Amino acid sequence: AGTINLVWQAMGVFAKIFGLSPQHAFHVFRIIIIPLLVFVFYFSVSFFIKNRAERITALFLALFGSGLGAWLYPFLKIESWSISGKFSAPLDLSVPEFSPFWSSLYSPHFILSWICLAASVVLLIKTFEDSSLKKAVLAGTIGFFYFHFHPYYAPFLATFALGLFIYSWAQKRELKRPLLALIVYLVLCAPPILYHAALIFYDYSLTARAVQNQTWSPPLLMSLIGVGMFLPFAVIGAFEKSPWDFRRKALIFWAILHPIFMYLPLSVQRRFSEGWILPLAILSAAGFSRFYGFAGRFIVLTPASKKIFFAAVFFIFFGYSNYSILLLKIRQALQGSPRPYIEESFMQAVRLG
């Protein structure tokens, strides 16, 4: 049994045209679409932030930031697997899709998911901000493509769209155009969801695969450690003096919706960690500005020392987990391990099986 997946099919056509092996095509395609991820992230950041310095800060945090997992993991004294069978490790150490940085090094599937998610959120906000049917059509078109290869985010984005619709209706006291925009978006997104539902319902092998697709979120403490300093900086940024307009409230709603979905009684909880860093990074950029202002009372910061100060703060509080895992993978590769992402004990078990 199989499914129609234009992403992997396009990769196969790409490999055939250029005479590449599947492995080479996989990584070449991954590298090619990374600039698109950076562009969409910058577009998303610019949608919420007007200040250029804060934009760059937010973009840098979103692309390279991580939590405190590498700092705290040695002191947690926990087993790799909890009694419940759920993986128990900090989010930034155990979930590749949680981080854009690791997604970019891991799979083009995750990169495209990040791109579609960020674009969908921005377009949905713009749709209900302007009550625009054209933007609803564009958001729905992206949703159609997104859900055909990564349907897990359909309930998340449907809930997000519904929340924006309710707020827009309550704020503007206008029902017709926002409701029509919501219907247009949901109708355009529906076909791939119905397609996947039909496959699962009628194909036993795909039903079994769906049942086995259990990606549970780690315990809440592990998620909080994985988010790390993003959370306090985002809270500071959320309560800065800027006006709480429609975009700002939508951004906060976006940031709050991720952890809610991560702990709903769904077997794919962990997948909803993907995307969480982006709204937190956008909010944290304003928190950084406040932090700079506070630090300036005690430390004289020249333009050059500001960059050094930012680099030090970033490495200590935001970058250490990514840096540590990257060094670990490089060391494994230099030691000749052909599978730096797969433990040898697992491969032995597969062979014995």
Side-chain angles (χ1 to χ4, degrees), residues 155-167:
F156 180 93
L157 286 173
T159 303
F160 185 71
L162 181 61
L164 294 180
F165 160 71
I166 293 172
Y167 181 76

Side-chain angles (χ1 to χ4, degrees), residues 170-198:
Q171 185 184 49
K172 300 176 182 178
R173 299 297 178 181
E174 180 189 358
L175 176 61
K176 184 178 179 181
R177 287 186 66 83
L179 180 59
L180 190 56
L182 178 66
I183 292 172
V184 167
Y185 174 71
L186 295 178
V187 168
L188 287 173
C189 292
I193 303 304
L194 295 174
Y195 167 72
H196 284 287

Side-chain angles (χ1 to χ4, degrees), residues 100-133:
F101 180 78
W102 284 114
S103 294
S104 298
L105 297 178
Y106 189 72
S107 170
H109 181 89
F110 286 149
I111 300 173
L112 283 174
S113 179
W114 272 97
I115 291 169
C116 291
L117 177 60
S120 294
V121 166
V122 170
L123 284 170
L124 283 172
I125 294 173
K126 193 64 178 169
T127 293
F128 292 100
E129 184 181 47
D130 301 339
S131 298
S132 171
L133 296 181

Side-chain angles (χ1 to χ4, degrees), residues 48 121 125 156 160 227 230-231 234-235 238 247-262 272-273 275-284:
F48 296 101
V121 166
I125 294 173
F156 180 93
F160 185 71
V227 172
F230 273 108
L231 194 57
V235 171
R247 293 186 185 187
R248 189 169 187 78
K249 291 174 182 177
L251 176 63
I252 294 171
F253 178 47
W254 180 15
I256 293 173
L257 204 57
H258 278 281
I260 292 174
F261 267 80
M262 283 174 62
F272 298 109
S273 66
W276 195 12
I277 276 185
L278 186 52
L280 291 179
I282 294 170
L283 290 169
S284 295

Side-chain angles (χ1 to χ4, degrees), residues 58-283:
L59 181 65
F60 195 83
L61 288 172
L63 290 172
F64 301 106
S66 59
L68 299 173
W71 286 114
L72 298 179
Y73 187 75
F75 307 102
L76 295 176
K77 298 184 183 299
I78 59 173
E79 297 295 332
S80 295
W81 292 90
S82 67
I83 296 174
S84 65
K86 299 178 183 179
F87 192 71
S88 182
L91 201 61
D92 57 334
L93 298 183
S94 59
V95 183
E97 64 265 37
F98 168 70
S99 163
F101 180 78
W102 284 114
S103 294
S104 298
L105 297 178
Y106 189 72
S107 170
H109 181 89
F110 286 149
I111 300 173
L112 283 174
S113 179
W114 272 97
I115 291 169
C116 291
L117 177 60
S120 294
V121 166
V122 170
L123 284 170
L124 283 172
I125 294 173
K126 193 64 178 169
T127 293
F128 292 100
E129 184 181 47
D130 301 339
S131 298
S132 171
L133 296 181
K134 290 182 179 180
K135 293 182 177 65
V137 170
L138 184 55
T141 303
I142 292 176
F144 181 95
F145 172 74
Y146 186 20
F147 302 145
H148 103 274
F149 76 90
H150 202 74
Y152 306 101
Y153 257 86
F156 180 93
L157 286 173
T159 303
F160 185 71
L162 181 61
L164 294 180
F165 160 71
I166 293 172
Y167 181 76
S168 176
W169 178 23
Q171 185 184 49
K172 300 176 182 178
R173 299 297 178 181
E174 180 189 358
L175 176 61
K176 184 178 179 181
R177 287 186 66 83
L179 180 59
L180 190 56
L182 178 66
I183 292 172
V184 167
Y185 174 71
L186 295 178
V187 168
L188 287 173
C189 292
I193 303 304
L194 295 174
Y195 167 72
H196 284 287
L199 284 177
I200 291 173
F201 185 78
Y202 289 108
D203 191 307
Y204 176 78
S205 62
L206 291 177
T207 303
R209 187 188 304 175
V211 171
Q212 294 169 358
N213 186 10
Q214 298 189 17
T215 50
W216 301 99
S217 295
L220 181 59
L221 176 62
M222 298 297 105
S223 292
L224 294 176
I225 291 173
V227 172
M229 295 303 292
F230 273 108
L231 194 57
F233 273 89
V235 171
I236 294 171
F239 289 96
E240 67 166 347
K241 295 180 181 179
S242 298
W244 278 43
D245 56 10
F246 186 86
R247 293 186 185 187
R248 189 169 187 78
K249 291 174 182 177
L251 176 63
I252 294 171
F253 178 47
W254 180 15
I256 293 173
L257 204 57
H258 278 281
I260 292 174
F261 267 80
M262 283 174 62
Y263 291 97
L264 288 178
L266 301 171
S267 63
V268 292
Q269 295 173 328
R270 194 189 75 189
R271 294 185 181 276
F272 298 109
S273 66
E274 182 183 340
W276 195 12
I277 276 185
L278 186 52
L280 291 179
I282 294 170
L283 290 169

Side-chain angles (χ1 to χ4, degrees), residues 52-62 281 284-285 288 292 310:
R52 183 175 178 274
E54 285 189 13
R55 283 181 180 179
I56 295 174
T57 300
L59 181 65
F60 195 83
L61 288 172
S284 295
F288 252 94
Y292 273 133
F310 173 80

